[in-house]
């Protein structure tokens, strides 16, 4: 790297889906520069645990604890996989896992890292579904104060 050259920080939102993997590959092939520092941001979703009804029976509590352990293992496996993706692509960077609303987490992570660019995938929700469910990529587009690339397969 040349003396005095600023390192470009790129945040890539990844959840292990085909859409996020596509966004990573697209970034790698079309935008990546050798001096980039990539921050892969993962926002685990624990909704299935939150919606699981828990009674006061010991069996229910043990069941939820078991589900939580499963989710934690899946998350750890995914984080290792994301780290390996960076290594395999010979890209300098790190992986961050942050709990919260995904759109807010991505925008905040980009601010905290002084990022220059955000790259995200999209699941391609219909306009009607996006209206009711919201869209992470729409949120990021409207709230980030830096350029955002939304990669659609």
């Amino acid at each position: 790297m040349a003396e005095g050259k600023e390192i470009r920080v790129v945040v890539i939102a990844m959840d292990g889906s085909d859409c996020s993997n596509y966004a990573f590959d697209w970034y790698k092939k079309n935008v990546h520069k050798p001096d980039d520092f990539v921050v892969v941001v993962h926002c685990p979703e624990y909704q299935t645990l939150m919606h699981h009804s828990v009674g006061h029976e010991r069996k229910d509590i043990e069941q939820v604890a078991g589900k939580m352990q499963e989710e934690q293992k899946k998350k750890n496996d995914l984080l290792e996989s994301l780290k390996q993706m960076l290594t395999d692509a010979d890209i300098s960077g790190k992986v961050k896992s942050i709990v919260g609303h995904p759109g807010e987490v991505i925008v905040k992570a980009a601010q905290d890292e002084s990022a220059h660019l955000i790259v995200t995938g999209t699941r391609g929700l219909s306009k009607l579904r996006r209206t009711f469910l919201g869209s992470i990529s729409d949120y990021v587009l409207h709230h980030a104060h830096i350029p955002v690339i939304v990669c659609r397969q």
Side-chain angles (χ1 to χ4, degrees):
M1 178 167 54
E3 186 78 27
K5 186 174 180 183
E6 185 177 342
I7 294 174
R8 183 173 69 163
V9 177
V10 179
V11 165
I12 303 178
M14 297 198 66
D15 61 4
S17 68
D18 289 342
C19 296
S20 70
N21 291 340
Y22 176 81
F24 180 83
D25 289 339
W26 191 92
Y27 160 79
K28 186 173 62 175
K29 291 174 188 164
N30 297 288
V31 181
H32 176 69
K33 295 180 180 177
D35 294 332
D36 283 356
F37 184 84
V38 172
V39 180
V40 173
V41 175
H42 172 255
C43 184
E45 296 184 62
Y46 295 112
Q47 292 148 339
T48 54
L49 293 176
M50 300 304 177
H51 295 297
H52 185 76
S53 60
V54 179
H56 294 290
E57 296 180 28
R58 181 176 182 92
K59 184 175 122 184
D60 291 336
I61 294 169
E62 288 172 357
Q63 197 173 30
V64 170
K67 289 274 188 202
M68 288 176 69
Q69 286 177 339
E70 280 178 36
E71 290 295 319
Q72 186 65 36
K73 181 175 180 348
K74 283 182 196 175
K75 181 187 97 167
N76 290 342
D77 291 347
L78 176 60
L79 294 177
E80 284 303 315
S81 171
L82 296 174
K83 287 177 192 173
Q84 192 61 49
M85 283 177 75
L86 286 172
T87 301
D88 292 348
D90 198 26
I91 294 175
S92 174
K94 65 182 177 181
V95 176
K96 291 178 82 168
S97 180
I98 308 166
V99 177
H101 297 288
E104 294 172 10
V105 164
I106 295 162
V107 171
K108 176 87 169 78
Q111 291 170 342
D112 292 348
E113 296 290 338
S114 301
H116 299 88
L117 174 68
I118 298 172
V119 178
T120 185
T122 180
R123 290 182 288 186
L125 298 177
S126 69
K127 190 171 187 174
L128 180 63
R129 289 193 68 199
R130 219 176 18 253
T131 301
F132 290 107
L133 299 175
S135 164
I136 295 166
S137 56
D138 278 350
Y139 182 92
V140 173
L141 276 170
H142 288 97
H143 291 87
H145 298 288
I146 58 174
V148 176
I149 296 174
V150 178
C151 300
R152 172 173 254 157
Q153 266 180 304

